[in-house]
Amino acid sequence: MSSSSQSSSIYANSYFETELPKTKLPEQSLDPKTAYRLIHDELATQGNPMLNMASFVTTVMDEECDRLITENLGVNYIDTEVYRANSNIQARCVDILNDLCNAPDINKSWGTECVGSSEAVMLAMLAHKRAWQEKRKAEGKPFDNPNIVMGNDVHLVWNKGAIYFEIEQRLIPLCPNKYTITAEEVVSRVDENTICVVGVLGTSYTFQYDPIEEINNALVDLKNKSGLDVPLHVDGASGVFIAPFLNPEIQWDFRLEQVKTINVSGHKYGLVYPGIGWALWRDERDIPKSLITETNVLGFLEKSFSLNFSRGGAMILAQYYNFIRLGRDGYKQIQNTMRENARYLASGISQLERFDLINDGTYTPSCCMCLRDESKFNASDLVHVLAEKGWIIPAFSMPANAQSVNAIRMNVKETFSRDMADILISDIKMSLDKLDSIYSSPYHKVGTHHH
Ligand SMILES: *Cc1c(COP(=O)(O)O)cnc(C)c1O
């Protein structure tokens, strides 16, 4: 029977008993139902996003927002003249975010949608480097040896950027029990070739906050004493959507004099699906004009400062949807629920008396810990056993000089309910019991040891 026959089951299609085309475009077409089913079913073999405690990225949005996204999948963000409303909504999002970051004058601030924080970081790095170069050139000084100062626990994108744009990275090491940088460590590495300093609001390893206000104050001091005016960039990939709601007492944003640029991922605690981030400038004039490019190829004059040209516009709508749907109250309630569930998880884990907590959810919706006793099995053995239950939880050694510490981190997202916390705590206990029994058994060498 032919596979396209009305009466045959999709599962009778020959692709279900032979291999799917993997290296060559197939000669013949396939009906859409079968194509869908083949790919849909294959995806069932991968991790469940709901149980992914490793990632910060959003997995669920309102159905109304899903509809908005589906309706606008064909909208190209760069076509600002054609998709004028989409483009206006982008500009509103930028203003709302600059306002959330307390930009002193919303008419002077600027920002742009990006694929994620990674693109935003690249743009900020480029702008700081070019601004530094132009200033040095004007002063008749060498401009071939730029550096950037940050902790060595920064997100990979900072290492990429430093390599791609040829900027020396001056990395501040961590040490056990201290997983954020200090203002003194920053200032001791700054010199006339420093294009900017980076502080992280929600570090990738432990989800803690670098002391942005202290770093700012030290840079202001330096400026007053030596005339060296070094800008501060805040990597708020996750923190920009946490701190204003959960930690309003902390100053980390454009209220601080040296903070000139901020990046944030809409797809993390902005609660939008993957594919959106934002780069923000307190003052548009901080972007060197030489970086703004123009084209008339779409039939109108398009000015841009971005790495990519075409991209989907739907996630911009999704971001704006959340802004008007949730408002400050909605964001605050969701972030607060996440943090309470993180605290609950941390407290349940601490009652097992097997872990030292690094982040107990006090500030951010995350729980990070290390095993007290790794003489028999280690953090990575534990997460392997948890993976048998479907939990996706990362174990990793901390960067130098804290590399002796193996941490386990669980980010709590909005889909992680109190019940799921109870299930996870009980699964951690069962996994520990299992490992205890394997490693106390004389036969443990045939067990599941992964060292
Ligand atoms: C996630 C993250 C990034 C990278 O952001 P993407 O949105 O994934 O591109 C950069 N810095 C920090 C601190 C992050 O948490």
Side-chain angles (χ1 to χ4, degrees), residues 56-57 114-121 153-158 199-205 207 235-239 263-268 275-278:
F56 296 79
V57 172
C114 296
V115 179
S117 275
S118 299
E119 184 187 4
V121 161
D153 60 331
V154 288
H155 190 276
L156 175 74
V157 65
W158 291 101
V200 184
L201 201 70
T203 59
S204 298
Y205 286 87
F207 209 166
D235 179 351
S238 47
N263 68 274
V264 53
S265 300
H267 52 218
K268 291 184 177 172
I276 191 157
W278 303 90

PDB file of all heavy atoms in Angstrom, residues 56-57 114-121 153-158 199-205 207 235-239 263-268 275-278, ligand 1:
ATOM      1  N   PHE A  56      18.652  28.214  32.634  1.00  0.00           N
ATOM      2  CA  PHE A  56      17.868  29.322  33.159  1.00  0.00           C
ATOM      3  C   PHE A  56      16.703  29.630  32.211  1.00  0.00           C
ATOM      4  O   PHE A  56      15.941  30.564  32.437  1.00  0.00           O
ATOM      5  CB  PHE A  56      18.715  30.604  33.224  1.00  0.00           C
ATOM      6  CG  PHE A  56      19.887  30.575  34.164  1.00  0.00           C
ATOM      7  CD1 PHE A  56      21.069  29.938  33.820  1.00  0.00           C
ATOM      8  CD2 PHE A  56      19.826  31.233  35.384  1.00  0.00           C
ATOM      9  CE1 PHE A  56      22.160  29.950  34.675  1.00  0.00           C
ATOM     10  CE2 PHE A  56      20.912  31.253  36.242  1.00  0.00           C
ATOM     11  CZ  PHE A  56      22.084  30.605  35.894  1.00  0.00           C
ATOM     12  N   VAL A  57      16.594  28.898  31.115  1.00  0.00           N
ATOM     13  CA  VAL A  57      15.759  29.359  30.015  1.00  0.00           C
ATOM     14  C   VAL A  57      14.299  28.893  30.147  1.00  0.00           C
ATOM     15  O   VAL A  57      14.016  27.778  30.572  1.00  0.00           O
ATOM     16  CB  VAL A  57      16.390  28.948  28.656  1.00  0.00           C
ATOM     17  CG1 VAL A  57      15.458  29.243  27.507  1.00  0.00           C
ATOM     18  CG2 VAL A  57      17.707  29.678  28.455  1.00  0.00           C
ATOM     19  N   CYS A 114      18.303  41.422  20.841  1.00  0.00           N
ATOM     20  CA  CYS A 114      19.391  40.543  20.376  1.00  0.00           C
ATOM     21  C   CYS A 114      18.879  39.100  20.415  1.00  0.00           C
ATOM     22  O   CYS A 114      17.810  38.838  20.940  1.00  0.00           O
ATOM     23  CB  CYS A 114      20.592  40.650  21.308  1.00  0.00           C
ATOM     24  SG  CYS A 114      21.358  42.274  21.342  1.00  0.00           S
ATOM     25  N   VAL A 115      19.687  38.183  19.887  1.00  0.00           N
ATOM     26  CA  VAL A 115      19.287  36.775  19.921  1.00  0.00           C
ATOM     27  C   VAL A 115      19.261  36.256  21.360  1.00  0.00           C
ATOM     28  O   VAL A 115      18.478  35.388  21.721  1.00  0.00           O
ATOM     29  CB  VAL A 115      20.249  35.922  19.075  1.00  0.00           C
ATOM     30  CG1 VAL A 115      19.859  34.458  19.136  1.00  0.00           C
ATOM     31  CG2 VAL A 115      20.256  36.399  17.641  1.00  0.00           C
ATOM     32  N   GLY A 116      20.154  36.804  22.174  1.00  0.00           N
ATOM     33  CA  GLY A 116      20.238  36.434  23.580  1.00  0.00           C
ATOM     34  C   GLY A 116      21.242  37.365  24.218  1.00  0.00           C
ATOM     35  O   GLY A 116      21.698  38.325  23.572  1.00  0.00           O
ATOM     36  N   SER A 117      21.608  37.084  25.448  1.00  0.00           N
ATOM     37  CA  SER A 117      22.620  37.926  26.080  1.00  0.00           C
ATOM     38  C   SER A 117      23.960  37.832  25.345  1.00  0.00           C
ATOM     39  O   SER A 117      24.752  38.770  25.380  1.00  0.00           O
ATOM     40  CB  SER A 117      22.819  37.534  27.545  1.00  0.00           C
ATOM     41  OG  SER A 117      21.866  38.180  28.344  1.00  0.00           O
ATOM     42  N   SER A 118      24.213  36.698  24.701  1.00  0.00           N
ATOM     43  CA  SER A 118      25.514  36.540  24.039  1.00  0.00           C
ATOM     44  C   SER A 118      25.730  37.625  22.994  1.00  0.00           C
ATOM     45  O   SER A 118      26.788  38.269  22.968  1.00  0.00           O
ATOM     46  CB  SER A 118      25.607  35.162  23.387  1.00  0.00           C
ATOM     47  OG  SER A 118      25.483  34.171  24.374  1.00  0.00           O
ATOM     48  N   GLU A 119      24.762  37.851  22.134  1.00  0.00           N
ATOM     49  CA  GLU A 119      24.920  38.904  21.132  1.00  0.00           C
ATOM     50  C   GLU A 119      25.025  40.270  21.811  1.00  0.00           C
ATOM     51  O   GLU A 119      25.815  41.125  21.412  1.00  0.00           O
ATOM     52  CB  GLU A 119      23.753  38.902  20.127  1.00  0.00           C
ATOM     53  CG  GLU A 119      23.962  39.929  19.022  1.00  0.00           C
ATOM     54  CD  GLU A 119      22.757  40.099  18.077  1.00  0.00           C
ATOM     55  OE1 GLU A 119      21.712  39.478  18.309  1.00  0.00           O
ATOM     56  OE2 GLU A 119      22.896  40.876  17.123  1.00  0.00           O
ATOM     57  N   ALA A 120      24.225  40.460  22.873  1.00  0.00           N
ATOM     58  CA  ALA A 120      24.244  41.734  23.597  1.00  0.00           C
ATOM     59  C   ALA A 120      25.631  42.008  24.182  1.00  0.00           C
ATOM     60  O   ALA A 120      26.142  43.131  24.109  1.00  0.00           O
ATOM     61  CB  ALA A 120      23.182  41.713  24.692  1.00  0.00           C
ATOM     62  N   VAL A 121      26.244  40.964  24.734  1.00  0.00           N
ATOM     63  CA  VAL A 121      27.588  41.089  25.311  1.00  0.00           C
ATOM     64  C   VAL A 121      28.598  41.466  24.225  1.00  0.00           C
ATOM     65  O   VAL A 121      29.455  42.334  24.415  1.00  0.00           O
ATOM     66  CB  VAL A 121      27.985  39.770  26.013  1.00  0.00           C
ATOM     67  CG1 VAL A 121      29.481  39.662  26.218  1.00  0.00           C
ATOM     68  CG2 VAL A 121      27.247  39.642  27.347  1.00  0.00           C
ATOM     69  N   ASP A 153      34.840  33.430  36.575  1.00  0.00           N
ATOM     70  CA  ASP A 153      33.618  32.613  36.551  1.00  0.00           C
ATOM     71  C   ASP A 153      32.600  33.191  35.566  1.00  0.00           C
ATOM     72  O   ASP A 153      31.445  32.782  35.565  1.00  0.00           O
ATOM     73  CB  ASP A 153      32.990  32.553  37.945  1.00  0.00           C
ATOM     74  CG  ASP A 153      32.609  33.930  38.466  1.00  0.00           C
ATOM     75  OD1 ASP A 153      33.270  34.917  38.080  1.00  0.00           O
ATOM     76  OD2 ASP A 153      31.657  34.030  39.265  1.00  0.00           O
ATOM     77  N   VAL A 154      33.033  34.157  34.729  1.00  0.00           N
ATOM     78  CA  VAL A 154      32.084  34.752  33.782  1.00  0.00           C
ATOM     79  C   VAL A 154      31.584  33.709  32.788  1.00  0.00           C
ATOM     80  O   VAL A 154      32.229  32.678  32.575  1.00  0.00           O
ATOM     81  CB  VAL A 154      32.697  35.934  32.980  1.00  0.00           C
ATOM     82  CG1 VAL A 154      32.867  37.144  33.870  1.00  0.00           C
ATOM     83  CG2 VAL A 154      33.963  35.521  32.279  1.00  0.00           C
ATOM     84  N   HIS A 155      30.459  34.020  32.168  1.00  0.00           N
ATOM     85  CA  HIS A 155      29.889  33.145  31.143  1.00  0.00           C
ATOM     86  C   HIS A 155      30.859  33.038  29.969  1.00  0.00           C
ATOM     87  O   HIS A 155      31.567  33.988  29.630  1.00  0.00           O
ATOM     88  CB  HIS A 155      28.555  33.734  30.682  1.00  0.00           C
ATOM     89  CG  HIS A 155      27.763  32.810  29.810  1.00  0.00           C
ATOM     90  ND1 HIS A 155      27.975  32.708  28.463  1.00  0.00           N
ATOM     91  CD2 HIS A 155      26.770  31.948  30.127  1.00  0.00           C
ATOM     92  CE1 HIS A 155      27.124  31.811  27.975  1.00  0.00           C
ATOM     93  NE2 HIS A 155      26.390  31.341  28.961  1.00  0.00           N
ATOM     94  N   LEU A 156      30.835  31.877  29.339  1.00  0.00           N
ATOM     95  CA  LEU A 156      31.693  31.583  28.190  1.00  0.00           C
ATOM     96  C   LEU A 156      31.717  32.689  27.130  1.00  0.00           C
ATOM     97  O   LEU A 156      32.738  32.926  26.475  1.00  0.00           O
ATOM     98  CB  LEU A 156      31.196  30.276  27.560  1.00  0.00           C
ATOM     99  CG  LEU A 156      31.857  29.830  26.268  1.00  0.00           C
ATOM    100  CD1 LEU A 156      33.250  29.300  26.553  1.00  0.00           C
ATOM    101  CD2 LEU A 156      31.016  28.759  25.579  1.00  0.00           C
ATOM    102  N   VAL A 157      30.591  33.395  26.960  1.00  0.00           N
ATOM    103  CA  VAL A 157      30.515  34.393  25.897  1.00  0.00           C
ATOM    104  C   VAL A 157      31.568  35.498  26.076  1.00  0.00           C
ATOM    105  O   VAL A 157      32.058  36.061  25.100  1.00  0.00           O
ATOM    106  CB  VAL A 157      29.101  34.988  25.775  1.00  0.00           C
ATOM    107  CG1 VAL A 157      28.719  35.774  27.017  1.00  0.00           C
ATOM    108  CG2 VAL A 157      29.016  35.884  24.558  1.00  0.00           C
ATOM    109  N   TRP A 158      31.957  35.767  27.316  1.00  0.00           N
ATOM    110  CA  TRP A 158      32.987  36.792  27.549  1.00  0.00           C
ATOM    111  C   TRP A 158      34.346  36.306  27.074  1.00  0.00           C
ATOM    112  O   TRP A 158      35.164  37.098  26.585  1.00  0.00           O
ATOM    113  CB  TRP A 158      33.038  37.183  29.029  1.00  0.00           C
ATOM    114  CG  TRP A 158      31.830  37.941  29.460  1.00  0.00           C
ATOM    115  CD1 TRP A 158      30.753  37.466  30.154  1.00  0.00           C
ATOM    116  CD2 TRP A 158      31.559  39.330  29.188  1.00  0.00           C
ATOM    117  NE1 TRP A 158      29.833  38.471  30.337  1.00  0.00           N
ATOM    118  CE2 TRP A 158      30.300  39.623  29.765  1.00  0.00           C
ATOM    119  CE3 TRP A 158      32.253  40.348  28.536  1.00  0.00           C
ATOM    120  CZ2 TRP A 158      29.720  40.898  29.692  1.00  0.00           C
ATOM    121  CZ3 TRP A 158      31.684  41.606  28.471  1.00  0.00           C
ATOM    122  CH2 TRP A 158      30.433  41.869  29.045  1.00  0.00           C
ATOM    123  N   GLY A 199      30.795  43.329  35.889  1.00  0.00           N
ATOM    124  CA  GLY A 199      30.255  42.734  37.111  1.00  0.00           C
ATOM    125  C   GLY A 199      29.048  41.901  36.716  1.00  0.00           C
ATOM    126  O   GLY A 199      28.318  42.262  35.794  1.00  0.00           O
ATOM    127  N   VAL A 200      28.853  40.777  37.393  1.00  0.00           N
ATOM    128  CA  VAL A 200      27.767  39.873  37.006  1.00  0.00           C
ATOM    129  C   VAL A 200      26.675  39.861  38.077  1.00  0.00           C
ATOM    130  O   VAL A 200      26.944  39.710  39.269  1.00  0.00           O
ATOM    131  CB  VAL A 200      28.295  38.432  36.764  1.00  0.00           C
ATOM    132  CG1 VAL A 200      27.161  37.536  36.274  1.00  0.00           C
ATOM    133  CG2 VAL A 200      29.443  38.447  35.773  1.00  0.00           C
ATOM    134  N   LEU A 201      25.459  40.041  37.630  1.00  0.00           N
ATOM    135  CA  LEU A 201      24.290  39.993  38.515  1.00  0.00           C
ATOM    136  C   LEU A 201      23.625  38.643  38.266  1.00  0.00           C
ATOM    137  O   LEU A 201      22.798  38.501  37.376  1.00  0.00           O
ATOM    138  CB  LEU A 201      23.357  41.154  38.166  1.00  0.00           C
ATOM    139  CG  LEU A 201      22.364  41.584  39.238  1.00  0.00           C
ATOM    140  CD1 LEU A 201      23.061  42.258  40.401  1.00  0.00           C
ATOM    141  CD2 LEU A 201      21.305  42.522  38.651  1.00  0.00           C
ATOM    142  N   GLY A 202      24.068  37.647  39.047  1.00  0.00           N
ATOM    143  CA  GLY A 202      23.591  36.282  38.840  1.00  0.00           C
ATOM    144  C   GLY A 202      24.634  35.485  38.069  1.00  0.00           C
ATOM    145  O   GLY A 202      24.505  35.264  36.865  1.00  0.00           O
ATOM    146  N   THR A 203      25.691  35.076  38.775  1.00  0.00           N
ATOM    147  CA  THR A 203      26.808  34.402  38.102  1.00  0.00           C
ATOM    148  C   THR A 203      26.389  33.029  37.590  1.00  0.00           C
ATOM    149  O   THR A 203      25.463  32.410  38.135  1.00  0.00           O
ATOM    150  CB  THR A 203      28.004  34.221  39.060  1.00  0.00           C
ATOM    151  OG1 THR A 203      27.562  33.448  40.180  1.00  0.00           O
ATOM    152  CG2 THR A 203      28.528  35.570  39.540  1.00  0.00           C
ATOM    153  N   SER A 204      27.069  32.572  36.554  1.00  0.00           N
ATOM    154  CA  SER A 204      26.682  31.311  35.917  1.00  0.00           C
ATOM    155  C   SER A 204      26.904  30.112  36.839  1.00  0.00           C
ATOM    156  O   SER A 204      26.176  29.137  36.758  1.00  0.00           O
ATOM    157  CB  SER A 204      27.477  31.105  34.631  1.00  0.00           C
ATOM    158  OG  SER A 204      27.200  32.143  33.724  1.00  0.00           O
ATOM    159  N   TYR A 205      27.919  30.165  37.687  1.00  0.00           N
ATOM    160  CA  TYR A 205      28.237  28.986  38.503  1.00  0.00           C
ATOM    161  C   TYR A 205      27.345  28.857  39.732  1.00  0.00           C
ATOM    162  O   TYR A 205      26.820  27.792  40.022  1.00  0.00           O
ATOM    163  CB  TYR A 205      29.700  29.012  38.941  1.00  0.00           C
ATOM    164  CG  TYR A 205      30.649  28.682  37.808  1.00  0.00           C
ATOM    165  CD1 TYR A 205      31.117  29.670  36.955  1.00  0.00           C
ATOM    166  CD2 TYR A 205      31.062  27.372  37.602  1.00  0.00           C
ATOM    167  CE1 TYR A 205      31.981  29.364  35.915  1.00  0.00           C
ATOM    168  CE2 TYR A 205      31.917  27.050  36.569  1.00  0.00           C
ATOM    169  CZ  TYR A 205      32.373  28.057  35.715  1.00  0.00           C
ATOM    170  OH  TYR A 205      33.210  27.741  34.697  1.00  0.00           O
ATOM    171  N   PHE A 207      24.994  31.533  40.765  1.00  0.00           N
ATOM    172  CA  PHE A 207      23.852  32.443  40.709  1.00  0.00           C
ATOM    173  C   PHE A 207      23.906  33.465  41.847  1.00  0.00           C
ATOM    174  O   PHE A 207      22.892  33.824  42.435  1.00  0.00           O
ATOM    175  CB  PHE A 207      22.536  31.666  40.752  1.00  0.00           C
ATOM    176  CG  PHE A 207      21.389  32.345  40.033  1.00  0.00           C
ATOM    177  CD1 PHE A 207      20.231  31.657  39.723  1.00  0.00           C
ATOM    178  CD2 PHE A 207      21.467  33.690  39.672  1.00  0.00           C
ATOM    179  CE1 PHE A 207      19.160  32.279  39.070  1.00  0.00           C
ATOM    180  CE2 PHE A 207      20.408  34.316  39.029  1.00  0.00           C
ATOM    181  CZ  PHE A 207      19.262  33.608  38.728  1.00  0.00           C
ATOM    182  N   ASP A 235      26.570  42.396  33.564  1.00  0.00           N
ATOM    183  CA  ASP A 235      26.002  41.219  32.910  1.00  0.00           C
ATOM    184  C   ASP A 235      24.843  40.751  33.786  1.00  0.00           C
ATOM    185  O   ASP A 235      25.036  40.023  34.763  1.00  0.00           O
ATOM    186  CB  ASP A 235      27.068  40.129  32.750  1.00  0.00           C
ATOM    187  CG  ASP A 235      26.508  38.865  32.088  1.00  0.00           C
ATOM    188  OD1 ASP A 235      25.268  38.769  31.919  1.00  0.00           O
ATOM    189  OD2 ASP A 235      27.317  37.977  31.735  1.00  0.00           O
ATOM    190  N   GLY A 236      23.661  41.210  33.415  1.00  0.00           N
ATOM    191  CA  GLY A 236      22.464  40.866  34.188  1.00  0.00           C
ATOM    192  C   GLY A 236      21.598  39.889  33.424  1.00  0.00           C
ATOM    193  O   GLY A 236      20.361  40.008  33.433  1.00  0.00           O
ATOM    194  N   ALA A 237      22.237  38.931  32.743  1.00  0.00           N
ATOM    195  CA  ALA A 237      21.505  37.967  31.909  1.00  0.00           C
ATOM    196  C   ALA A 237      20.280  37.433  32.650  1.00  0.00           C
ATOM    197  O   ALA A 237      19.170  37.421  32.124  1.00  0.00           O
ATOM    198  CB  ALA A 237      22.423  36.826  31.489  1.00  0.00           C
ATOM    199  N   SER A 238      20.483  37.022  33.902  1.00  0.00           N
ATOM    200  CA  SER A 238      19.312  36.589  34.678  1.00  0.00           C
ATOM    201  C   SER A 238      18.914  37.634  35.711  1.00  0.00           C
ATOM    202  O   SER A 238      17.726  37.802  36.009  1.00  0.00           O
ATOM    203  CB  SER A 238      19.577  35.231  35.334  1.00  0.00           C
ATOM    204  OG  SER A 238      20.834  35.231  35.946  1.00  0.00           O
ATOM    205  N   GLY A 239      19.895  38.360  36.260  1.00  0.00           N
ATOM    206  CA  GLY A 239      19.636  39.234  37.411  1.00  0.00           C
ATOM    207  C   GLY A 239      18.758  40.443  37.143  1.00  0.00           C
ATOM    208  O   GLY A 239      18.069  40.916  38.046  1.00  0.00           O
ATOM    209  N   ASN A 263      23.417  43.997  29.907  1.00  0.00           N
ATOM    210  CA  ASN A 263      22.761  43.012  29.042  1.00  0.00           C
ATOM    211  C   ASN A 263      21.814  42.158  29.868  1.00  0.00           C
ATOM    212  O   ASN A 263      22.035  41.951  31.068  1.00  0.00           O
ATOM    213  CB  ASN A 263      23.783  42.107  28.344  1.00  0.00           C
ATOM    214  CG  ASN A 263      24.500  41.180  29.311  1.00  0.00           C
ATOM    215  OD1 ASN A 263      25.501  41.559  29.916  1.00  0.00           O
ATOM    216  ND2 ASN A 263      23.987  39.959  29.475  1.00  0.00           N
ATOM    217  N   VAL A 264      20.749  41.706  29.232  1.00  0.00           N
ATOM    218  CA  VAL A 264      19.784  40.832  29.911  1.00  0.00           C
ATOM    219  C   VAL A 264      19.189  39.845  28.898  1.00  0.00           C
ATOM    220  O   VAL A 264      19.007  40.184  27.729  1.00  0.00           O
ATOM    221  CB  VAL A 264      18.677  41.668  30.615  1.00  0.00           C
ATOM    222  CG1 VAL A 264      18.023  42.655  29.664  1.00  0.00           C
ATOM    223  CG2 VAL A 264      17.606  40.765  31.230  1.00  0.00           C
ATOM    224  N   SER A 265      18.935  38.635  29.353  1.00  0.00           N
ATOM    225  CA  SER A 265      18.296  37.629  28.498  1.00  0.00           C
ATOM    226  C   SER A 265      16.796  37.661  28.743  1.00  0.00           C
ATOM    227  O   SER A 265      16.347  37.346  29.846  1.00  0.00           O
ATOM    228  CB  SER A 265      18.822  36.227  28.828  1.00  0.00           C
ATOM    229  OG  SER A 265      20.212  36.147  28.634  1.00  0.00           O
ATOM    230  N   GLY A 266      16.022  38.016  27.711  1.00  0.00           N
ATOM    231  CA  GLY A 266      14.565  37.951  27.843  1.00  0.00           C
ATOM    232  C   GLY A 266      14.120  36.523  28.084  1.00  0.00           C
ATOM    233  O   GLY A 266      13.139  36.259  28.776  1.00  0.00           O
ATOM    234  N   HIS A 267      14.883  35.566  27.513  1.00  0.00           N
ATOM    235  CA  HIS A 267      14.470  34.162  27.594  1.00  0.00           C
ATOM    236  C   HIS A 267      14.868  33.476  28.899  1.00  0.00           C
ATOM    237  O   HIS A 267      14.637  32.287  29.057  1.00  0.00           O
ATOM    238  CB  HIS A 267      14.969  33.363  26.382  1.00  0.00           C
ATOM    239  CG  HIS A 267      16.430  33.487  26.093  1.00  0.00           C
ATOM    240  ND1 HIS A 267      16.932  33.548  24.822  1.00  0.00           N
ATOM    241  CD2 HIS A 267      17.493  33.573  26.904  1.00  0.00           C
ATOM    242  CE1 HIS A 267      18.244  33.645  24.865  1.00  0.00           C
ATOM    243  NE2 HIS A 267      18.610  33.658  26.116  1.00  0.00           N
ATOM    244  N   LYS A 268      15.466  34.214  29.839  1.00  0.00           N
ATOM    245  CA  LYS A 268      15.680  33.620  31.164  1.00  0.00           C
ATOM    246  C   LYS A 268      14.545  34.121  32.061  1.00  0.00           C
ATOM    247  O   LYS A 268      13.397  33.798  31.801  1.00  0.00           O
ATOM    248  CB  LYS A 268      17.067  33.961  31.668  1.00  0.00           C
ATOM    249  CG  LYS A 268      18.134  33.225  30.842  1.00  0.00           C
ATOM    250  CD  LYS A 268      19.535  33.441  31.337  1.00  0.00           C
ATOM    251  CE  LYS A 268      20.520  32.633  30.515  1.00  0.00           C
ATOM    252  NZ  LYS A 268      21.918  32.964  30.859  1.00  0.00           N
ATOM    253  N   GLY A 275      15.545  32.719  22.423  1.00  0.00           N
ATOM    254  CA  GLY A 275      15.722  33.506  21.210  1.00  0.00           C
ATOM    255  C   GLY A 275      15.646  34.999  21.421  1.00  0.00           C
ATOM    256  O   GLY A 275      15.578  35.740  20.446  1.00  0.00           O
ATOM    257  N   ILE A 276      15.699  35.471  22.683  1.00  0.00           N
ATOM    258  CA  ILE A 276      15.656  36.918  22.862  1.00  0.00           C
ATOM    259  C   ILE A 276      16.502  37.409  24.043  1.00  0.00           C
ATOM    260  O   ILE A 276      16.511  36.808  25.116  1.00  0.00           O
ATOM    261  CB  ILE A 276      14.201  37.436  22.992  1.00  0.00           C
ATOM    262  CG1 ILE A 276      14.202  38.960  22.904  1.00  0.00           C
ATOM    263  CG2 ILE A 276      13.521  36.947  24.259  1.00  0.00           C
ATOM    264  CD1 ILE A 276      12.900  39.562  22.467  1.00  0.00           C
ATOM    265  N   GLY A 277      17.276  38.459  23.753  1.00  0.00           N
ATOM    266  CA  GLY A 277      18.060  39.137  24.782  1.00  0.00           C
ATOM    267  C   GLY A 277      18.091  40.620  24.448  1.00  0.00           C
ATOM    268  O   GLY A 277      17.584  41.035  23.391  1.00  0.00           O
ATOM    269  N   TRP A 278      18.659  41.406  25.329  1.00  0.00           N
ATOM    270  CA  TRP A 278      18.651  42.854  25.140  1.00  0.00           C
ATOM    271  C   TRP A 278      19.991  43.452  25.532  1.00  0.00           C
ATOM    272  O   TRP A 278      20.578  43.065  26.540  1.00  0.00           O
ATOM    273  CB  TRP A 278      17.538  43.488  25.998  1.00  0.00           C
ATOM    274  CG  TRP A 278      16.184  42.928  25.710  1.00  0.00           C
ATOM    275  CD1 TRP A 278      15.602  41.851  26.311  1.00  0.00           C
ATOM    276  CD2 TRP A 278      15.254  43.394  24.711  1.00  0.00           C
ATOM    277  NE1 TRP A 278      14.360  41.618  25.760  1.00  0.00           N
ATOM    278  CE2 TRP A 278      14.118  42.557  24.783  1.00  0.00           C
ATOM    279  CE3 TRP A 278      15.266  44.439  23.784  1.00  0.00           C
ATOM    280  CZ2 TRP A 278      13.007  42.728  23.952  1.00  0.00           C
ATOM    281  CZ3 TRP A 278      14.171  44.614  22.970  1.00  0.00           C
ATOM    282  CH2 TRP A 278      13.047  43.758  23.052  1.00  0.00           C
TER     283      TRP A 278
HETATM  284  C1  LIG B   1      23.016  32.892  30.135  1.00  0.00           C
HETATM  285  C2  LIG B   1      24.070  33.882  30.414  1.00  0.00           C
HETATM  286  C3  LIG B   1      24.782  34.491  29.371  1.00  0.00           C
HETATM  287  C4  LIG B   1      24.531  34.148  27.926  1.00  0.00           C
HETATM  288  O1  LIG B   1      23.236  34.497  27.606  1.00  0.00           O
HETATM  289  P1  LIG B   1      22.372  33.838  26.406  1.00  0.00           P
HETATM  290  O2  LIG B   1      21.085  34.558  26.556  1.00  0.00           O
HETATM  291  O3  LIG B   1      22.290  32.379  26.695  1.00  0.00           O
HETATM  292  O4  LIG B   1      23.076  34.143  25.144  1.00  0.00           O
HETATM  293  C5  LIG B   1      25.714  35.445  29.695  1.00  0.00           C
HETATM  294  N1  LIG B   1      25.969  35.766  30.984  1.00  0.00           N
HETATM  295  C6  LIG B   1      25.315  35.188  32.021  1.00  0.00           C
HETATM  296  C7  LIG B   1      25.633  35.593  33.420  1.00  0.00           C
HETATM  297  C8  LIG B   1      24.345  34.215  31.774  1.00  0.00           C
HETATM  298  O5  LIG B   1      23.689  33.652  32.792  1.00  0.00           O
END
